[in-house]
Amino acid sequence: MADRTGGRRRAASALAAIIAVLALAGCTGGSVDPAGRFEPVDAAYSDEVVEQLDQVLEQAVALSGSSGGVAGVWAPWAGGWTGASGTVDFREKSRPVTEETDFHLATVTSEITCLILLRLVDAGTVSLDDPVAEYVDRIPGLEGITLEQLCRHTSGLADYYPGLEPHVVANPERIWSPNELLAGGLATKRTGQPGEAWSYSRTGVLLLARALEEATGRDWNQLAEEYVLEPLGLDDTGIPAPDDTGHQGALGAYAAGIGGDGKADCAVIHDDSAQSSSIGAAAAGAVSDLDDTRKLSEAFATGVLVGEHSARELWTTEHLGGDAPVWEEFGLGGAQYGPLRGTAGESAGSLTAAFTDATTGLTVVIALNNSTSGAAFVRETAFALASIGSKAAAIDGREQPLVELPWSLEQSTTKMQELALCPTAPEAAEAAGEEPAEG
């Protein structure tokens, strides 16, 4: 039934899809510049700001136990900064990290999948309130779950990754089938009824990707290329083939072992640099670089790739619930922290965060290659970088906007130290603990 329905829907919406694609290309010449609306200046920050940003990056690398990291902070009124620290891995004669080094996008990948959903909604191929069971009818227990809930992480489906993490970290080259991962999530206790509460779930994003593939008859890579990567010119972004485990020159990946008590065992470090993308796939399996991730973050935060209605849906937010501060909310595929919109997440051996303020254009990207300290660590690192970038002085002729961040640089760097589970070395952690001056 689902396949026949999908076929009719595809036929009915074919013209609409073509019109939508042509309209996008016609208005932009085939390339979307999400930063264009902010009229960014081509300038470098002052030496003082650069020193602060470099120090936070070096601090993050040491505290996280990474061999290296790469980051960028762009303030359209003041200029930009990109930085690299350390080496791509811990091996002898390792290459230094550069500002062009590729890295794992981790759960920032989910932004691409959710943008595909909204582009298909704009084309009339699917609707946000479509039941996922309409497209994926061979998996039981999906009653009451909609496509929108899968991106909002309100489906009630548990995240498959925490239960599989010890196996993935210890055997990173193993290829996992989507059915295995979905089964792992579906077998875990539900986090609530559909639409009831927010709980991050890679299971939901993978299920969404399956539904969109069924609805269109095309695979994720084809959909991503047409609806997100090509319009934004993201030439260095994509999900490698599951058996393509070697990425020469890319930022490596490391993670501490997990002891019998479920806590990190810092004495055991797993090298996950050669890993299969299958463990994250459409939820966390992509690889990218600084420039591409900046563009993706800007497009996701501003909704520039989607129609007006879908852009509103994208950032119609609700409070995360529980003990989360009032300024932590979730949208359709990403979170909003104060004015910053985006994602901070982890995959095996990697931590990545990307955030953009849709009003001022302030954008932050940070990637580290040790996942032990978790997503909260890289989020706080991004917050620290944003604190510095938000105060960068405007160049002549530009007005410096007021960016009201609900945290300070000191608060973020303090939390980084609290969240660090396995620093590279005691002396490195001690040195990194010297807080940069308030910017």
Side-chain angles (χ1 to χ4, degrees):
M1 178 66 72
D3 290 342
R4 291 196 297 273
T5 301
R8 290 196 299 271
R9 191 185 295 271
R10 289 195 299 274
S13 64
L15 181 59
I18 293 173
I19 292 174
V21 172
L22 289 177
L24 180 65
C27 291
T28 64
S31 178
V32 178
D33 178 15
R37 66 177 63 189
F38 304 117
E39 299 181 351
V41 299
D42 184 13
Y45 295 142
S46 67
D47 290 345
E48 180 183 2
V49 171
V50 169
E51 183 179 358
Q52 288 182 296
L53 294 169
D54 284 340
Q55 187 174 352
V56 168
L57 176 57
E58 292 171 5
Q59 179 181 13
V61 169
L63 288 174
S64 65
S66 297
S67 72
V70 61
V73 180
W74 298 268
W77 64 90
W81 162 88
T82 55
S85 177
T87 56
V88 297
D89 53 47
F90 284 116
R91 297 164 189 164
E92 291 185 14
K93 299 181 180 179
S94 177
R95 300 181 182 183
V97 180
T98 73
E99 294 154 10
E100 288 75 39
T101 297
D102 292 343
F103 51 83
H104 294 281
L105 267 184
T107 56
V108 179
T109 306
S110 299
E111 295 183 2
I112 300 175
T113 304
C114 291
L115 284 174
I116 294 170
L117 168 63
L118 290 174
R119 292 297 307 277
L120 291 174
V121 168
D122 288 344
T125 306
V126 300
S127 297
L128 289 178
D129 59 0
D130 283 348
V132 65
E134 179 179 335
Y135 304 100
V136 186
D137 62 352
R138 294 174 296 279
I139 298 178
L142 302 181
E143 294 77 13
I145 300 175
T146 67
L147 300 183
E148 179 176 5
Q149 289 166 353
L150 297 177
C151 259
R152 289 195 180 278
H153 302 288
T154 58
S155 66
L157 299 176
D159 187 2
Y160 67 80
Y161 187 75
L164 294 178
E165 184 176 10
H167 307 286
V168 173
V169 167
N171 189 15
E173 295 185 73
R174 182 193 191 284
I175 297 177
W176 297 77
S177 73
N179 286 339
E180 284 182 293
L181 302 179
L182 290 174
L186 293 168
T188 304
K189 183 180 178 182
R190 299 288 174 100
T191 60
Q193 294 298 315
E196 184 177 73
W198 181 91
S199 182
Y200 182 80
S201 174
R202 291 170 181 79
T203 308
V205 180
L206 289 191
L207 190 58
L208 172 66
R210 171 76 66 84
L212 298 181
E213 289 174 339
E214 292 285 348
T216 61
R218 304 169 68 192
D219 65 30
W220 186 93
N221 283 303
Q222 292 172 319
L223 294 171
E225 184 64 28
E226 176 177 346
Y227 290 114
V228 181
L229 307 184
E230 185 175 354
L232 291 175
L234 307 188
D235 298 329
D236 296 311
T237 302
I239 296 180
D243 60 353
D244 180 11
T245 60
H247 306 289
Q248 188 70 25
L251 198 61
Y254 296 89
I258 300 176
D261 57 359
K263 298 180 180 180
D265 180 359
C266 299
V268 178
I269 299 295
H270 294 283
D271 185 349
D272 293 338
S273 301
Q275 63 177 264
S276 172
S277 65
S278 62
I279 186 57
V287 172
S288 189
D289 64 12
L290 268 186
D291 190 52
D292 275 15
T293 306
R294 174 184 63 82
K295 293 177 185 176
L296 174 62
S297 181
E298 292 166 345
F300 185 68
T302 60
V304 69
L305 278 181
V306 300
E308 183 178 348
H309 177 74
S310 289
R312 286 197 302 268
E313 291 289 344
L314 179 59
W315 292 110
T316 297
T317 60
E318 296 182 39
H319 182 244
L320 284 172
D323 298 328
V326 295
W327 45 266
E328 292 190 14
E329 300 179 304
F330 65 89
L332 202 156
Q336 180 158 337
Y337 301 97
L340 298 186
R341 297 170 172 178
T343 303
E346 66 177 297
S347 58
S350 301
L351 297 176
T352 303
F355 293 105
T356 294
D357 175 358
T359 300
T360 67
L362 175 67
T363 298
V364 176
V365 175
I366 169 76
L368 303 166
N369 70 346
N370 190 321
S371 62
T372 305
S373 295
F377 178 89
V378 75
R379 182 188 67 197
E380 293 298 332
T381 303
F383 287 177
L385 294 170
S387 293
I388 299 169
S390 69
K391 298 177 179 64
I395 67 168
D396 291 343
R398 295 296 294 268
E399 182 178 350
Q400 183 169 351
L402 174 62
V403 184
E404 296 185 285
L405 301 177
W407 60 81
S408 68
L409 174 58
E410 182 180 2
Q411 288 173 325
S412 295
T413 53
T414 297
K415 287 186 177 180
M416 286 169 59
Q417 295 172 53
E418 293 172 351
L419 291 166
L421 296 181
C422 297
T424 301
E427 59 273 17
E430 183 178 353
E434 298 176 3
E435 297 176 3
E438 187 74 38

